[in-house]
Amino acid sequence: MEVIYGLLPGMLLLGLVGVVVFFWTVRSGQYDDMEGDANRILMDDDITEETQAESDNETKEQNEDSKVD
């Protein structure tokens, strides 16, 4: 029964660390473009520089829009 006095604070600490890491990943933009990477892996490798620049601009606009909200 005494072990529970050590486990409870340990589990609360691990939960707090998990919440802090989650907020850090959200603030660093890890979840901003969830579909971009999934779609890029299916695209052909012959992407021109113009289409890559357009894609980068769209991503920047989406990031700016999400920061405004």
Side-chain angles (χ1 to χ4, degrees), residues 7-52:
L7 289 175
L8 282 175
M11 293 301 110
L12 290 173
L13 181 66
L14 284 176
L16 182 64
V17 168
V19 169
V20 169
V21 168
F22 173 73
F23 280 109
W24 174 71
T25 57
V26 169
R27 294 189 84 190
S28 67
Q30 294 289 319
Y31 303 108
D32 287 346
D33 188 17
M34 297 294 288
E35 295 179 7
D37 291 335
N39 291 333
R40 265 184 241 123
I41 198 167
L42 299 173
M43 292 181 181
D44 291 334
D45 290 337
D46 56 349
I47 296 175
T48 62
E49 292 181 14
E50 293 178 8
T51 56
Q52 183 66 33

